[in-house]
Coordinates of all heavy atoms in Angstrom, one line a residue:
M1 N 5.5 21.0 23.0 CA 5.2 22.1 24.0 C 3.8 22.3 24.1 O 3.1 22.6 23.1 CB 6.0 23.3 23.7 CG 6.0 24.3 24.9 SD 6.8 23.5 26.2 CE 7.8 24.9 26.9
I2 N 3.2 22.3 25.3 CA 1.7 22.6 25.4 C 1.6 24.1 25.6 O 2.3 24.7 26.4 CB 1.3 21.9 26.7 CG1 1.4 20.4 26.5 CG2 -0.2 22.1 27.0 CD1 0.7 19.7 25.3
P3 N 0.6 24.7 24.9 CA 0.3 26.2 25.2 C 0.1 26.5 26.6 O -0.7 25.6 27.2 CB -1.0 26.4 24.3 CG -1.0 25.3 23.3 CD -0.3 24.1 23.9
G4 N 0.6 27.5 27.1 CA 0.4 27.8 28.6 C 1.4 27.1 29.4 O 1.4 27.3 30.6
G5 N 2.2 26.2 28.9 CA 3.4 25.6 29.7 C 2.9 24.4 30.5 O 3.7 23.9 31.3
G6 N 1.7 24.0 30.4 CA 1.2 22.8 31.2 C 1.7 21.5 30.7 O 2.3 21.5 29.6
Q7 N 1.6 20.5 31.4 CA 2.0 19.2 31.1 C 0.9 18.6 30.1 O -0.3 18.8 30.2 CB 2.1 18.3 32.3 CG 3.2 18.7 33.3 CD 4.6 18.5 32.6 OE1 4.9 17.5 31.9 NE2 5.5 19.5 32.7
P8 N 1.4 17.7 29.2 CA 0.5 17.1 28.3 C -0.4 16.1 29.1 O 0.0 15.4 30.1 CB 1.4 16.3 27.3 CG 2.6 16.1 28.0 CD 2.8 17.3 29.0
D9 N -1.7 15.9 28.6 CA -2.6 15.0 29.2 C -2.2 13.6 28.7 O -2.6 13.2 27.6 CB -4.0 15.4 28.9 CG -5.1 14.5 29.4 OD1 -4.7 13.3 30.0 OD2 -6.3 14.8 29.3
M10 N -1.6 12.8 29.6 CA -1.0 11.5 29.1 C -2.1 10.6 28.7 O -2.0 9.8 27.8 CB -0.1 10.9 30.2 CG 1.1 11.7 30.5 SD 2.0 12.0 29.0 CE 2.7 10.4 28.6
Q11 N -3.3 10.7 29.4 CA -4.5 9.8 29.1 C -4.9 10.1 27.6 O -5.2 9.2 26.9 CB -5.6 9.9 30.1 CG -6.8 9.1 29.9 CD -6.4 7.6 30.0 OE1 -5.5 7.2 30.7 NE2 -7.2 6.8 29.4
Q12 N -5.0 11.4 27.4 CA -5.4 11.8 26.1 C -4.4 11.4 25.0 O -4.9 10.9 24.0 CB -5.7 13.3 26.0 CG -6.2 13.8 24.6 CD -6.3 15.3 24.6 OE1 -5.9 16.0 25.5 NE2 -6.9 15.8 23.5
I13 N -3.2 11.5 25.3 CA -2.1 11.1 24.3 C -2.2 9.6 24.0 O -2.2 9.1 22.9 CB -0.7 11.5 24.8 CG1 -0.6 13.1 24.7 CG2 0.3 10.8 24.0 CD1 0.7 13.5 25.3
F14 N -2.4 8.9 25.2 CA -2.5 7.4 25.1 C -3.7 7.1 24.3 O -3.7 6.1 23.3 CB -2.6 6.8 26.5 CG -2.8 5.3 26.5 CD1 -1.8 4.4 26.0 CD2 -4.1 4.8 26.7 CE1 -2.1 3.0 26.1 CE2 -4.3 3.3 26.7 CZ -3.2 2.5 26.4
Q15 N -4.9 7.7 24.4 CA -6.1 7.4 23.6 C -5.9 7.7 22.2 O -6.3 6.9 21.3 CB -7.3 8.2 24.3 CG -7.7 7.6 25.6 CD -8.8 8.4 26.2 OE1 -9.1 9.6 25.9 NE2 -9.5 7.9 27.2
Q16 N -5.2 8.8 21.9 CA -5.0 9.1 20.6 C -4.1 8.1 19.8 O -4.3 7.7 18.8 CB -4.3 10.6 20.4 CG -5.3 11.7 20.7 CD -4.6 13.0 20.7 OE1 -3.3 13.1 20.9 NE2 -5.3 14.0 20.5
A17 N -3.1 7.7 20.6 CA -2.1 6.8 20.0 C -2.8 5.3 19.8 O -2.6 4.7 18.8 CB -1.0 6.6 21.0
Q18 N -3.7 5.0 20.7 CA -4.4 3.8 20.5 C -5.4 3.9 19.4 O -5.4 2.9 18.6 CB -5.3 3.5 21.9 CG -5.6 2.1 22.1 CD -6.2 1.9 23.6 OE1 -6.8 2.9 24.1 NE2 -6.0 0.8 24.1
K19 N -6.0 5.0 19.2 CA -6.9 5.1 18.1 C -6.1 5.1 16.7 O -6.6 4.4 15.8 CB -7.7 6.4 18.1 CG -8.7 6.6 16.9 CD -9.4 7.9 17.0 CE -10.3 8.1 15.8 NZ -10.0 7.7 14.6
M20 N -5.0 5.7 16.7 CA -4.2 5.7 15.6 C -3.8 4.2 15.2 O -3.7 3.9 14.0 CB -3.0 6.7 15.6 CG -3.3 8.1 15.6 SD -2.0 9.2 15.7 CE -1.0 8.7 14.4
Q21 N -3.4 3.5 16.2 CA -2.9 2.2 16.1 C -4.1 1.3 15.5 O -3.8 0.5 14.5 CB -2.4 1.6 17.4 CG -1.8 0.2 17.2 CD -1.3 -0.3 18.6 OE1 -1.8 0.1 19.6 NE2 -0.4 -1.2 18.5
Q22 N -5.2 1.5 16.0 CA -6.4 0.8 15.4 C -6.7 1.2 14.0 O -7.0 0.4 13.1 CB -7.6 1.2 16.3 CG -7.6 0.5 17.7 CD -8.7 1.0 18.6 OE1 -9.3 2.0 18.3 NE2 -8.8 0.3 19.8
D23 N -6.6 2.5 13.7 CA -6.8 3.1 12.3 C -5.7 2.4 11.4 O -6.1 2.0 10.3 CB -6.8 4.6 12.3 CG -8.0 5.1 13.0 OD1 -8.9 4.4 13.3 OD2 -7.9 6.4 13.2
L24 N -4.5 2.3 11.8 CA -3.5 1.8 11.0 C -3.7 0.3 10.8 O -3.6 -0.2 9.6 CB -2.1 2.0 11.7 CG -0.9 1.5 11.0 CD1 -0.7 2.2 9.6 CD2 0.4 1.7 11.7
A25 N -4.1 -0.5 11.8 CA -4.3 -1.9 11.6 C -5.6 -2.1 10.6 O -5.4 -2.9 9.8 CB -4.7 -2.5 12.9
R26 N -6.5 -1.3 10.7 CA -7.7 -1.3 9.8 C -7.3 -1.1 8.4 O -7.7 -1.7 7.4 CB -8.8 -0.5 10.3 CG -10.1 -0.6 9.5 CD -11.3 0.2 10.1 NE -10.8 1.2 10.9 CZ -11.0 1.4 12.3 NH1 -11.5 0.8 12.8 NH2 -10.5 2.3 13.0
A27 N -6.5 0.0 8.2 CA -6.0 0.4 6.8 C -5.2 -0.8 6.3 O -5.2 -1.0 5.0 CB -5.2 1.7 6.9
Q28 N -4.3 -1.4 7.1 CA -3.4 -2.4 6.6 C -4.4 -3.6 6.2 O -3.9 -4.3 5.2 CB -2.4 -2.8 7.6 CG -1.4 -1.8 7.9 CD -0.4 -2.1 9.0 OE1 -0.8 -2.6 10.0 NE2 0.8 -1.6 8.9
Q29 N -5.3 -3.9 6.9 CA -6.2 -5.0 6.5 C -6.9 -4.7 5.2 O -7.1 -5.6 4.4 CB -7.3 -5.3 7.7 CG -6.7 -5.9 8.8 CD -7.7 -6.0 9.9 OE1 -8.8 -5.4 10.0 NE2 -7.5 -6.8 10.9
E30 N -7.3 -3.5 5.0 CA -8.0 -3.1 3.7 C -7.0 -3.2 2.6 O -7.3 -3.7 1.5 CB -8.5 -1.6 3.9 CG -9.7 -1.5 4.8 CD -10.2 0.0 4.9 OE1 -9.8 0.8 4.1 OE2 -10.8 0.2 5.8
L31 N -5.8 -2.8 2.8 CA -4.8 -3.0 1.8 C -4.6 -4.4 1.4 O -4.4 -4.7 0.3 CB -3.4 -2.3 2.3 CG -3.3 -0.8 2.3 CD1 -2.0 -0.3 2.9 CD2 -3.5 -0.2 0.9
A32 N -4.5 -5.3 2.4 CA -4.2 -6.7 2.2 C -5.3 -7.4 1.4 O -5.2 -8.3 0.6 CB -4.0 -7.4 3.4
A33 N -6.6 -6.7 1.5 CA -7.7 -7.3 0.8 C -8.0 -6.7 -0.5 O -8.8 -7.2 -1.3 CB -9.0 -7.1 1.8
T34 N -7.4 -5.5 -0.8 CA -7.7 -4.8 -2.0 C -6.6 -5.3 -3.2 O -5.5 -5.4 -2.9 CB -7.5 -3.3 -1.8 OG1 -8.4 -2.9 -0.8 CG2 -7.8 -2.5 -3.0
E35 N -7.2 -5.4 -4.4 CA -6.3 -5.9 -5.4 C -6.2 -4.7 -6.5 O -7.1 -4.0 -6.8 CB -6.8 -7.2 -6.1 CG -6.7 -8.3 -5.2 CD -7.1 -9.7 -5.9 OE1 -7.8 -9.6 -6.9 OE2 -6.9 -10.7 -5.3
V36 N -5.0 -4.5 -7.0 CA -4.7 -3.6 -8.1 C -4.1 -4.3 -9.2 O -3.4 -5.3 -9.0 CB -3.9 -2.4 -7.6 CG1 -4.7 -1.5 -6.6 CG2 -2.6 -2.8 -7.0
Q37 N -4.1 -3.8 -10.4 CA -3.5 -4.5 -11.6 C -2.5 -3.5 -12.3 O -2.6 -2.3 -12.1 CB -4.5 -4.9 -12.6 CG -5.5 -5.9 -12.1 CD -6.5 -6.3 -13.2 OE1 -6.8 -5.7 -14.1 NE2 -6.9 -7.6 -13.0
G38 N -1.5 -4.1 -12.8 CA -0.6 -3.5 -13.8 C -0.6 -4.2 -15.1 O -0.7 -5.5 -15.1
R39 N -0.5 -3.4 -16.1 CA -0.6 -4.1 -17.5 C 0.7 -3.8 -18.3 O 1.3 -2.6 -18.1 CB -1.8 -3.7 -18.4 CG -3.0 -4.3 -17.7 CD -4.2 -3.9 -18.5 NE -5.5 -4.4 -18.0 CZ -6.1 -4.1 -17.0 NH1 -5.8 -3.0 -16.2 NH2 -7.2 -4.8 -16.6
A40 N 1.1 -4.5 -19.2 CA 2.2 -4.3 -20.1 C 1.9 -4.8 -21.5 O 1.1 -5.8 -21.6 CB 3.5 -4.8 -19.6
G41 N 2.6 -4.3 -22.5 CA 2.4 -4.8 -23.9 C 1.0 -4.6 -24.4 O 0.5 -5.4 -25.1
G42 N 0.4 -3.4 -24.0 CA -1.0 -3.1 -24.5 C -2.0 -4.1 -23.9 O -3.0 -4.4 -24.5
G43 N -1.7 -4.7 -22.7 CA -2.6 -5.6 -22.0 C -2.3 -7.0 -22.4 O -3.1 -7.9 -22.0
L44 N -1.1 -7.3 -23.0 CA -0.8 -8.7 -23.2 C -0.4 -9.4 -22.0 O -0.6 -10.6 -21.8 CB 0.4 -8.8 -24.3 CG 0.0 -8.4 -25.7 CD1 1.3 -8.5 -26.6 CD2 -1.0 -9.4 -26.2
V45 N 0.1 -8.8 -21.0 CA 0.5 -9.3 -19.7 C -0.2 -8.4 -18.6 O 0.0 -7.2 -18.6 CB 2.0 -9.3 -19.5 CG1 2.3 -9.9 -18.2 CG2 2.6 -10.3 -20.6
T46 N -1.0 -9.0 -17.7 CA -1.6 -8.4 -16.6 C -1.2 -9.0 -15.3 O -1.2 -10.2 -15.1 CB -3.0 -8.4 -16.7 OG1 -3.5 -7.9 -17.9 CG2 -3.8 -7.7 -15.5
A47 N -0.7 -8.2 -14.4 CA -0.3 -8.7 -13.0 C -1.3 -8.1 -12.1 O -1.7 -7.0 -12.1 CB 1.1 -8.3 -12.7
T48 N -1.7 -8.9 -11.1 CA -2.6 -8.5 -10.1 C -1.8 -8.6 -8.7 O -1.4 -9.7 -8.4 CB -3.9 -9.3 -10.0 OG1 -4.6 -9.2 -11.3 CG2 -4.9 -8.9 -8.9
V49 N -1.8 -7.5 -7.8 CA -1.1 -7.6 -6.6 C -2.2 -7.0 -5.6 O -3.1 -6.3 -5.9 CB 0.1 -6.8 -6.5 CG1 1.1 -7.4 -7.5 CG2 -0.1 -5.4 -6.8
T50 N -2.0 -7.3 -4.3 CA -2.8 -6.7 -3.2 C -2.2 -5.3 -3.0 O -1.1 -5.0 -3.4 CB -2.6 -7.6 -2.0 OG1 -1.4 -7.6 -1.5 CG2 -3.2 -8.9 -2.2
G51 N -2.9 -4.5 -2.3 CA -2.5 -3.3 -1.9 C -1.2 -3.3 -1.0 O -0.5 -2.3 -0.9
S52 N -1.0 -4.4 -0.4 CA 0.2 -4.7 0.4 C 1.4 -5.2 -0.4 O 2.5 -5.5 0.2 CB -0.1 -5.5 1.6 OG -0.6 -6.7 1.2
G53 N 1.2 -5.4 -1.7 CA 2.3 -5.8 -2.6 C 2.4 -7.3 -2.8 O 3.3 -7.8 -3.5
E54 N 1.4 -8.1 -2.4 CA 1.5 -9.6 -2.7 C 1.0 -10.0 -4.1 O -0.2 -9.6 -4.5 CB 0.6 -10.4 -1.7 CG 0.5 -11.8 -1.9 CD -0.5 -12.6 -1.0 OE1 -0.9 -12.0 -0.1 OE2 -0.8 -13.7 -1.3
L55 N 1.8 -10.6 -4.9 CA 1.4 -11.0 -6.2 C 0.4 -12.0 -6.1 O 0.6 -13.1 -5.5 CB 2.6 -11.5 -7.0 CG 2.3 -11.8 -8.5 CD1 1.8 -10.7 -9.4 CD2 3.7 -12.4 -9.1
R56 N -0.8 -11.8 -6.7 CA -1.9 -12.8 -6.7 C -2.1 -13.4 -8.0 O -2.7 -14.7 -8.0 CB -3.3 -12.0 -6.2 CG -3.3 -11.6 -4.8 CD -3.7 -12.7 -3.9 NE -3.8 -12.4 -2.6 CZ -4.8 -11.9 -1.9 NH1 -5.9 -11.6 -2.4 NH2 -4.6 -11.6 -0.5
A57 N -2.0 -12.8 -9.1 CA -2.3 -13.4 -10.4 C -1.3 -12.8 -11.5 O -0.9 -11.6 -11.4 CB -3.8 -13.2 -10.7
L58 N -1.1 -13.6 -12.4 CA -0.3 -13.2 -13.6 C -1.1 -13.7 -14.8 O -1.2 -15.0 -14.9 CB 1.0 -13.6 -13.6 CG 2.0 -13.1 -14.6 CD1 2.1 -11.6 -14.6 CD2 3.4 -13.8 -14.4
V59 N -1.6 -12.9 -15.7 CA -2.3 -13.4 -16.9 C -1.4 -13.0 -18.2 O -1.1 -11.8 -18.4 CB -3.7 -12.8 -17.0 CG1 -4.4 -13.2 -18.3 CG2 -4.5 -13.1 -15.7
I60 N -1.2 -14.0 -18.9 CA -0.4 -13.8 -20.2 C -1.3 -14.2 -21.4 O -1.7 -15.4 -21.5 CB 0.9 -14.7 -20.2 CG1 1.8 -14.2 -18.9 CG2 1.7 -14.4 -21.4 CD1 3.0 -15.1 -18.8
D61 N -1.5 -13.2 -22.3 CA -2.3 -13.6 -23.4 C -1.4 -14.4 -24.3 O -0.2 -14.2 -24.5 CB -2.5 -12.2 -24.2 CG -3.4 -12.3 -25.4 OD1 -3.1 -13.2 -26.2 OD2 -4.5 -11.7 -25.4
P62 N -2.0 -15.5 -24.9 CA -1.2 -16.4 -25.8 C -0.5 -15.7 -26.9 O 0.6 -16.2 -27.4 CB -2.3 -17.4 -26.3 CG -3.4 -17.3 -25.3 CD -3.4 -15.9 -24.8
K63 N -1.0 -14.6 -27.4 CA -0.3 -13.8 -28.4 C 1.1 -13.3 -28.0 O 1.9 -13.1 -28.8 CB -1.1 -12.6 -28.8 CG -2.4 -13.0 -29.6 CD -3.1 -11.8 -30.0 CE -4.3 -11.6 -29.2 NZ -5.1 -10.4 -29.4
A64 N 1.3 -13.2 -26.7 CA 2.5 -12.8 -26.2 C 3.6 -13.8 -26.1 O 4.7 -13.6 -25.9 CB 2.4 -12.2 -24.8
V65 N 3.2 -15.1 -26.4 CA 4.1 -16.2 -26.2 C 4.7 -16.5 -27.5 O 4.1 -17.1 -28.4 CB 3.4 -17.5 -25.6 CG1 4.3 -18.6 -25.4 CG2 2.8 -17.1 -24.3
D66 N 6.0 -16.3 -27.6 CA 6.8 -16.6 -28.9 C 8.0 -17.4 -28.3 O 8.9 -16.8 -27.8 CB 7.2 -15.4 -29.6 CG 8.1 -15.7 -30.8 OD1 8.4 -16.8 -31.1 OD2 8.4 -14.7 -31.4
P67 N 8.0 -18.8 -28.7 CA 9.1 -19.6 -28.1 C 10.5 -19.0 -28.6 O 11.5 -19.3 -28.0 CB 8.8 -21.0 -28.7 CG 7.3 -21.0 -29.0 CD 7.0 -19.6 -29.3
E68 N 10.5 -18.3 -29.7 CA 11.7 -17.8 -30.2 C 12.2 -16.6 -29.5 O 13.3 -16.1 -29.7 CB 11.6 -17.6 -31.7 CG 11.3 -18.8 -32.6 CD 12.4 -19.8 -32.4 OE1 13.5 -19.5 -32.5 OE2 12.0 -21.1 -32.3
D69 N 11.2 -15.9 -28.7 CA 11.5 -14.6 -28.1 C 11.1 -14.6 -26.6 O 10.2 -13.8 -26.3 CB 11.0 -13.5 -28.9 CG 11.3 -12.1 -28.4 OD1 12.3 -12.0 -27.6 OD2 10.7 -11.1 -28.8
T70 N 11.6 -15.5 -25.8 CA 11.2 -15.5 -24.4 C 11.6 -14.2 -23.6 O 11.0 -13.9 -22.6 CB 11.6 -16.7 -23.7 OG1 13.0 -16.9 -23.8 CG2 11.0 -18.0 -24.3
E71 N 12.6 -13.6 -24.2 CA 13.1 -12.4 -23.4 C 12.1 -11.2 -23.4 O 12.0 -10.6 -22.4 CB 14.4 -11.9 -24.2 CG 15.1 -10.9 -23.4 CD 16.5 -10.5 -24.1 OE1 17.3 -11.4 -24.3 OE2 16.6 -9.3 -24.3
T72 N 11.4 -11.0 -24.6 CA 10.4 -10.0 -24.6 C 9.3 -10.3 -23.5 O 8.8 -9.5 -22.9 CB 9.9 -9.9 -26.0 OG1 10.9 -9.5 -26.9 CG2 8.7 -8.8 -26.0
L73 N 8.9 -11.7 -23.5 CA 7.8 -12.0 -22.7 C 8.2 -11.8 -21.2 O 7.5 -11.2 -20.4 CB 7.5 -13.5 -22.8 CG 6.4 -14.1 -21.9 CD1 5.1 -13.3 -21.9 CD2 6.2 -15.6 -22.1
A74 N 9.5 -12.1 -20.9 CA 10.1 -11.8 -19.6 C 10.0 -10.3 -19.2 O 9.6 -10.0 -18.2 CB 11.4 -12.4 -19.4
D75 N 10.3 -9.5 -20.2 CA 10.3 -8.1 -20.0 C 9.0 -7.5 -19.8 O 8.6 -6.7 -18.9 CB 11.0 -7.3 -21.2 CG 12.4 -7.5 -21.3 OD1 13.1 -7.9 -20.4 OD2 12.9 -7.2 -22.4
L76 N 7.9 -8.1 -20.5 CA 6.6 -7.7 -20.3 C 6.1 -8.1 -18.9 O 5.4 -7.4 -18.3 CB 5.7 -8.4 -21.4 CG 5.8 -7.8 -22.7 CD1 5.0 -8.6 -23.8 CD2 5.4 -6.4 -22.8
V77 N 6.5 -9.3 -18.4 CA 6.1 -9.8 -17.1 C 6.6 -8.8 -16.0 O 5.9 -8.4 -15.1 CB 6.5 -11.2 -16.8 CG1 6.3 -11.6 -15.3 CG2 5.7 -12.2 -17.7
V78 N 7.9 -8.5 -16.2 CA 8.6 -7.6 -15.2 C 7.9 -6.3 -15.3 O 7.5 -5.7 -14.2 CB 10.0 -7.5 -15.5 CG1 10.6 -6.3 -14.7 CG2 10.7 -8.8 -15.2
A79 N 7.5 -5.7 -16.4 CA 6.9 -4.5 -16.5 C 5.5 -4.5 -15.9 O 5.1 -3.5 -15.2 CB 6.9 -4.0 -17.9
A80 N 4.7 -5.5 -16.1 CA 3.4 -5.6 -15.6 C 3.4 -5.8 -14.0 O 2.6 -5.1 -13.4 CB 2.7 -6.8 -16.1
V81 N 4.4 -6.5 -13.6 CA 4.5 -6.6 -12.1 C 4.9 -5.3 -11.5 O 4.3 -4.9 -10.4 CB 5.4 -7.8 -11.6 CG1 5.7 -7.8 -10.2 CG2 4.9 -9.0 -12.0
K82 N 5.8 -4.6 -12.1 CA 6.3 -3.3 -11.7 C 5.1 -2.3 -11.6 O 4.9 -1.5 -10.6 CB 7.5 -2.7 -12.4 CG 7.9 -1.4 -11.9 CD 9.0 -0.8 -12.8 CE 9.5 0.5 -12.4 NZ 8.6 1.5 -11.7
A83 N 4.4 -2.3 -12.7 CA 3.2 -1.3 -12.8 C 2.2 -1.7 -11.7 O 1.6 -0.7 -11.1 CB 2.6 -1.4 -14.2
A84 N 1.9 -2.9 -11.5 CA 1.0 -3.3 -10.4 C 1.5 -2.9 -9.0 O 0.8 -2.4 -8.2 CB 0.8 -4.8 -10.4
N85 N 2.8 -3.1 -8.7 CA 3.4 -2.6 -7.5 C 3.4 -1.1 -7.4 O 3.2 -0.7 -6.3 CB 4.9 -3.2 -7.3 CG 4.8 -4.7 -6.9 OD1 4.0 -5.1 -6.2 ND2 5.8 -5.4 -7.3
D86 N 3.6 -0.4 -8.5 CA 3.5 1.0 -8.4 C 2.1 1.4 -7.9 O 1.9 2.4 -7.1 CB 3.9 1.7 -9.7 CG 5.4 1.6 -10.1 OD1 6.2 1.2 -9.2 OD2 5.7 1.8 -11.2
N87 N 1.1 0.7 -8.6 CA -0.3 1.0 -8.2 C -0.6 0.6 -6.7 O -1.3 1.4 -6.0 CB -1.3 0.3 -9.1 CG -1.3 0.8 -10.5 OD1 -0.8 2.0 -10.8 ND2 -1.6 0.0 -11.5
A88 N 0.0 -0.4 -6.3 CA -0.2 -0.7 -4.9 C 0.5 0.3 -3.9 O 0.0 0.7 -2.9 CB 0.5 -2.1 -4.6
Q89 N 1.6 0.9 -4.3 CA 2.3 1.9 -3.6 C 1.4 3.1 -3.4 O 1.3 3.7 -2.4 CB 3.7 2.2 -4.1 CG 4.8 1.3 -3.6 CD 6.2 1.8 -4.1 OE1 6.4 2.5 -4.9 NE2 7.1 1.5 -3.2
Q90 N 0.8 3.4 -4.6 CA -0.1 4.6 -4.6 C -1.2 4.4 -3.7 O -1.7 5.3 -2.9 CB -0.5 5.0 -6.0 CG 0.6 5.5 -6.8 CD 0.1 5.7 -8.4 OE1 -1.0 5.5 -8.7 NE2 1.0 6.1 -9.2
L91 N -1.8 3.2 -3.7 CA -2.9 2.9 -2.8 C -2.4 2.9 -1.3 O -3.2 3.5 -0.5 CB -3.5 1.5 -3.2 CG -4.7 1.0 -2.3 CD1 -5.8 1.9 -2.6 CD2 -4.9 -0.4 -2.7
Q92 N -1.2 2.5 -1.0 CA -0.7 2.5 0.3 C -0.6 4.0 0.8 O -1.0 4.3 1.9 CB 0.7 1.8 0.4 CG 0.6 0.3 0.3 CD 2.0 -0.3 0.2 OE1 3.0 0.4 0.2 NE2 2.1 -1.6 -0.1
Q93 N 0.0 4.8 -0.2 CA 0.1 6.2 0.3 C -1.2 6.9 0.5 O -1.4 7.7 1.4 CB 0.8 7.0 -0.8 CG 2.3 6.6 -0.9 CD 3.0 7.2 -2.0 OE1 2.5 7.9 -2.9 NE2 4.4 7.1 -2.0
A94 N -2.3 6.5 -0.2 CA -3.5 7.1 -0.1 C -4.2 6.6 1.2 O -4.9 7.4 1.8 CB -4.5 6.7 -1.3
K95 N -4.0 5.4 1.6 CA -4.7 4.8 2.7 C -3.8 5.1 4.0 O -4.4 5.4 5.1 CB -4.7 3.3 2.7 CG -5.6 2.8 1.7 CD -7.0 2.6 2.4 CE -8.0 2.0 1.4 NZ -9.4 2.2 1.8
L96 N -2.5 5.0 4.0 CA -1.6 5.2 5.2 C -1.1 6.6 5.4 O -0.8 7.0 6.4 CB -0.5 4.2 5.1 CG -0.9 2.8 5.0 CD1 0.3 1.8 5.0 CD2 -1.7 2.4 6.2
G97 N -1.0 7.4 4.3 CA -0.5 8.8 4.4 C -1.3 9.7 5.4 O -0.6 10.3 6.2
P98 N -2.5 9.7 5.3 CA -3.3 10.5 6.3 C -3.0 10.1 7.8 O -3.0 10.9 8.6 CB -4.7 10.4 6.0 CG -4.7 10.0 4.5 CD -3.4 9.1 4.4
L99 N -2.9 8.8 7.9 CA -2.5 8.2 9.3 C -1.3 8.7 9.8 O -1.1 9.1 11.0 CB -2.6 6.7 9.3 CG -4.1 6.2 9.1 CD1 -4.0 4.7 9.0 CD2 -5.0 6.6 10.1
A100 N -0.2 8.7 8.9 CA 1.1 9.2 9.3 C 1.1 10.7 9.6 O 1.8 11.1 10.6 CB 2.2 8.8 8.1
Q101 N 0.3 11.4 8.8 CA 0.2 12.8 9.1 C -0.5 13.1 10.4 O -0.1 14.1 11.1 CB -0.6 13.6 8.1 CG 0.1 13.5 6.6 CD -0.7 14.1 5.5 OE1 -1.9 14.4 5.7 NE2 -0.2 14.1 4.3
G102 N -1.2 12.2 11.0 CA -1.9 12.4 12.3 C -1.0 12.3 13.4 O -1.2 12.9 14.5
L103 N 0.3 11.9 13.1 CA 1.3 11.8 14.2 C 1.7 13.3 14.6 O 2.0 13.5 15.7 CB 2.4 11.1 13.8 CG 2.3 9.6 13.6 CD1 3.6 9.0 13.1 CD2 2.1 8.9 15.0
G104 N 1.7 14.2 13.6 CA 2.0 15.6 13.9 C 1.1 16.3 14.7 O 1.4 17.3 15.3
G105 N -0.2 15.7 14.9 CA -1.2 16.4 15.7 C -1.2 16.0 17.1 O -2.2 16.4 17.9
M106 N -0.3 15.2 17.6 CA -0.4 14.6 18.9 C 0.3 15.7 19.8 O 1.5 15.8 19.8 CB 0.2 13.3 19.0 CG -0.7 12.2 18.3 SD -0.2 10.6 18.4 CE -0.4 10.3 20.2
P107 N -0.4 16.3 20.7 CA 0.3 17.3 21.6 C 1.2 16.6 22.6 O 1.0 15.5 23.0 CB -0.9 17.9 22.3 CG -1.9 16.9 22.3 CD -1.8 16.1 21.0
G108 N 2.4 17.3 22.8 CA 3.3 16.9 23.8 C 4.2 15.9 23.4 O 5.1 15.5 24.1
L109 N 4.2 15.5 22.0 CA 5.2 14.5 21.5 C 6.3 15.2 20.7 O 7.2 14.6 20.3 CB 4.4 13.4 20.7 CG 3.5 12.5 21.6 CD1 3.0 11.5 20.6 CD2 4.2 11.9 22.7
G110 N 6.2 16.4 20.5 CA 7.2 17.2 19.8 C 7.2 16.9 18.3 O 8.3 17.1 17.7
F111 N 6.1 16.4 17.7 CA 6.2 16.2 16.3 C 5.8 17.4 15.5 O 5.1 18.2 16.0 CB 5.1 15.0 15.9 CG 5.5 13.7 16.4 CD1 4.9 13.1 17.5 CD2 6.5 13.0 15.7 CE1 5.2 11.9 17.8 CE2 6.8 11.7 16.1 CZ 6.2 11.2 17.2

């Protein structure tokens, strides 16, 4: 609802939506280019993912490799990838959260 009962300025709403779309695309590009890491086993396994969640690298310290205990190594890999993905999600929220909150400020859309 517009204060005073007037109609929303559709041109202004369109411009705001267009700017938000551009801001969102820019933030998504930044996320895809930004890398975060997750570690497990005191740094024996390190996973690197992009801010958009793409696994880019996995480094395993030779000390973590025990042919008799591959299950522990697998657990460390899963934990490192999970930690990296958690960090990527935090980065996404930091980059995209403010843009999503901007939807609430668009007059005439009922947000």
Side-chain angles (χ1 to χ4, degrees):
M1 192 65 140
I2 301 297
Q7 293 294 318
D9 181 349
M10 294 308 289
Q11 182 66 24
Q12 182 182 7
I13 291 172
F14 177 73
Q15 288 173 345
Q16 286 176 337
Q18 205 171 28
K19 182 184 180 319
M20 286 180 61
Q21 186 177 22
Q22 290 168 347
D23 291 346
L24 181 60
R26 188 175 14 250
Q28 288 172 329
Q29 288 174 342
E30 288 176 21
L31 285 172
T34 303
E35 292 183 346
V36 294
Q37 293 184 334
R39 293 180 174 80
L44 291 175
V45 177
T46 301
T48 302
V49 299
T50 64
S52 58
E54 176 188 349
L55 181 62
R56 288 273 175 94
L58 185 63
V59 178
I60 301 172
D61 187 304
K63 292 182 257 178
V65 181
D66 178 359
E68 302 296 319
D69 187 15
T70 57
E71 188 174 309
T72 297
L73 178 56
D75 289 345
L76 290 174
V77 168
V78 169
V81 171
K82 181 183 180 324
N85 280 327
D86 289 347
N87 290 337
Q89 276 189 329
Q90 290 175 3
L91 182 62
Q92 288 171 8
Q93 289 173 351
K95 289 274 187 193
L96 301 177
L99 294 175
Q101 291 173 356
L103 290 174
M106 293 184 65
L109 295 182
F111 290 106

